[in-house]
Amino acid sequence: MKHEEVRHDTIKHDAKASRRAVIAASTGNALEWYDFTVYALFAMYIGQNFFQNENPTVQLMASFMAFGLGYVARPLGALLLGSYGDRAGRKAALTLTIMLMALGTLLIAIAPPYAAIGVGAPLLIVCGRVLQGFSAGGEIGGATAFLVEHAPPEKKGQYASWLQASMGISNVAGALVATVVTAVFTVDEISEWAWRIPFIIGLAIAPVGLWMRKALDETPHFKLEEQRMKAAGIVKKTPLLQVIRECPKQLAAGFGLSVLWAAAPYSLIIFMPIYAQKTMGFTASQAFTASLIGNLFMIVCCVLAGTLSDRLGRRTMLRFGAVLLLVGVYPLMMWLQASHTTATLVIVQSLFCAMIAMFVGVAPAALSEIFPTSVRSSGMSLSYNTAVTLLGGFAPAILTWITYTTGVAFAPALYVMGAAAIALVAISTLPDASKT
């Protein structure tokens, strides 16, 4: 496969514009992922309101199944929005994802409970999750391409790391809101109406995200690629078909890398507050506080890992992160079980987040370097979202079933260890463009 790729030395990077791009893209990305993931923090209350069953575990599983349906829509969003980003530009695609996420969040925020409208209630929740999933499907490819293509060549890892760091910011925001809501309101008040507050707050994504992203310039890589193709008389192909036909090995490598990128955060960050409460007997306040503190470590460590990858290479850092998760998660779970204190929960959650950051802080830049500019958004969106749909989105539901029906101990740890083993195989096939 031969691609005429845009040369870095033909592009002049405006430092001010690049910094503005990082701030704007990260802010929009944080708001988008806050909306998408805050559902998991209040899944128990959503289950009580929208999924009728006397068994609380069945309610929780049904709620997480709706959570997972958002991931079924992600490959479709990845295909259509990723292709749209490669054709119309990174900025146009990111603006569209913002508005779709806002619409899905609004549906969840205003949906009447089952007691009011019957079966229509869970259908509204499912529709909201599908819209959110469709939007999120195009976010990874579009946002990463935007950051990488605005970055100077020697800082691609650092710039791209803000994608995952901004997800840590969204997790902090979600945990902070959850901590405040659970501290201020009673359990009955949260169950009845206060669970909607986080979603109402999330509607800020529409005005803030739209304003931030309308103020941005298109990436210099995309503009130069457009000029090159026009000058050469090349008719732009359908990016989706092009990446499938011309980049099958890259898609396979990207999927393998994304397996751990998907499994670790959803098992050890998103699902962990629920697991700590239902399995280990911690209170909601303890679980959300640990999540809040842990994600602060994730933000810092993501940027650190991305910066180090510019110096040491992507593969070196990815292997380091994958090995940490392979050998470190299970012993930490055992320690938490043996030392049932708030301090231990905070330390364990913080270590989980730091270890995950060592991998996911580097993954966006590594994945972007697999694909050429003309199909970068499509290739990244497709490989990442396929892995997330299969192994990430339904992870809470799968882990709930394994934990509470089979009695397997430390299911989240085992899940992540399996994903780490797959990722280590995939990493060996990646190009280390950062070292060339």
Side-chain angles (χ1 to χ4, degrees):
M1 180 185 68
K2 295 183 179 180
H3 292 283
E4 291 187 36
E5 185 57 25
V6 174
R7 287 169 54 90
H8 288 301
D9 55 12
T10 64
I11 297 175
K12 293 183 179 179
H13 289 272
D14 183 328
K16 185 177 180 180
S18 295
R19 287 194 297 269
R20 186 170 64 245
V22 170
I23 294 170
S26 299
T27 301
N29 194 59
L31 288 168
E32 175 134 353
W33 287 98
Y34 166 87
D35 282 351
F36 190 69
T37 58
V38 76
Y39 180 106
L41 298 178
F42 290 87
M44 288 190 296
Y45 305 107
I46 293 172
Q48 293 166 11
N49 278 275
F50 294 93
F51 301 96
Q52 295 300 296
N53 193 288
E54 296 298 324
N55 188 326
T57 298
V58 174
Q59 287 181 343
L60 180 61
M61 287 182 64
S63 184
F64 273 137
M65 287 300 291
F67 176 78
L69 285 174
Y71 291 83
V72 174
R74 285 184 66 155
L76 182 59
L79 296 177
L80 298 182
L81 294 176
S83 181
Y84 178 67
D86 284 328
R87 287 184 291 106
R90 315 309 188 200
K91 187 172 72 170
L94 292 177
T95 302
L96 180 58
T97 63
I98 281 284
M99 301 315 295
L100 289 172
M101 182 62 72
L103 180 58
T105 302
L106 177 63
L107 280 179
I108 296 173
I110 66 174
Y114 188 94
I117 62 172
V119 71
L123 289 178
L124 283 174
I125 295 295
V126 168
C127 286
R129 284 301 297 170
V130 168
L131 276 173
Q132 288 185 324
F134 186 87
S135 168
E139 179 72 11
I140 287 290
T144 304
F146 190 86
L147 287 168
V148 167
E149 292 173 12
H150 266 296
E154 72 279 5
K155 293 185 177 181
K156 287 172 63 178
Q158 183 184 96
Y159 274 55
S161 70
W162 278 102
L163 177 80
Q164 200 66 48
S166 66
M167 293 182 185
I169 294 171
S170 75
N171 291 337
V172 168
L176 183 59
V177 170
T179 300
V180 172
V181 168
T182 54
V184 172
F185 299 100
T186 67
V187 173
D188 289 341
E189 288 173 333
I190 298 172
S191 181
E192 186 175 350
W193 61 271
W195 67 267
R196 298 180 188 273
I197 293 174
F199 296 96
I200 294 172
I201 292 173
L203 293 176
I205 188 176
V208 174
L210 192 58
W211 179 82
M212 293 289 285
R213 285 178 173 173
K214 275 192 172 181
L216 300 178
D217 295 326
E218 185 55 84
T219 73
H221 279 255
F222 185 84
K223 289 190 289 188
L224 191 59
E225 179 73 7
E226 289 280 285
Q227 294 169 5
R228 183 190 68 79
M229 295 182 71
K230 184 177 180 180
I234 300 173
V235 178
K236 183 173 284 190
K237 302 175 183 178
T238 302
L240 173 60
L241 297 178
Q242 184 181 351
V243 74
I244 292 174
R245 182 172 59 251
E246 299 180 5
C247 306
K249 292 182 179 179
Q250 289 87 339
L251 287 171
F255 173 81
L257 171 67
S258 299
V259 163
L260 183 55
W261 189 1
Y266 286 97
S267 300
L268 300 179
I269 298 177
I270 293 176
F271 180 68
M272 193 62 190
I274 300 298
Y275 184 84
Q277 292 174 66
K278 289 186 66 68
T279 303
M280 297 187 166
F282 289 97
T283 67
S285 180
Q286 288 173 312
F288 291 142
T289 299
S291 179
L292 172 62
I293 296 172
N295 275 285
L296 293 175
F297 282 88
M298 182 176 179
I299 295 168
V300 174
C301 290
C302 275
V303 179
L304 174 62
T307 303
L308 287 174
S309 76
D310 287 324
R311 302 175 185 177
L312 305 178
R314 314 282 185 243
R315 287 182 302 194
T316 298
M317 292 303 299
L318 287 172
R319 284 196 184 101
F320 177 65
V323 170
L324 278 179
L325 290 166
L326 180 64
V327 303
V329 174
Y330 199 89
L332 286 173
M333 281 280 196
M334 293 179 63
W335 179 40
L336 182 59
Q337 181 70 33
S339 177
H340 194 275
T341 66
T342 302
T344 304
L345 177 61
V346 170
I347 293 171
V348 168
Q349 188 66 67
S350 298
L351 288 173
F352 282 165
C353 289
M355 290 191 298
I356 290 170
M358 288 295 106
F359 185 86
V360 303
V362 183
L367 189 59
S368 75
E369 290 166 346
I370 299 176
F371 302 99
T373 301
S374 59
V375 295
R376 178 170 289 137
S377 183
S378 298
M380 290 189 65
S381 295
L382 183 58
S383 55
Y384 173 78
N385 284 288
T386 301
V388 168
T389 299
L390 296 175
L391 298 166
F394 286 103
I398 293 170
L399 293 173
T400 298
W401 177 78
I402 293 174
T403 301
Y404 304 122
T405 62
T406 67
V408 173
F410 309 137
L414 297 174
Y415 196 75
V416 171
M417 291 167 67
I422 295 172
L424 284 169
V425 175
I427 290 167
S428 65
T429 70
L430 295 178
D432 203 357
S434 64
K435 300 295 286 182
T436 60

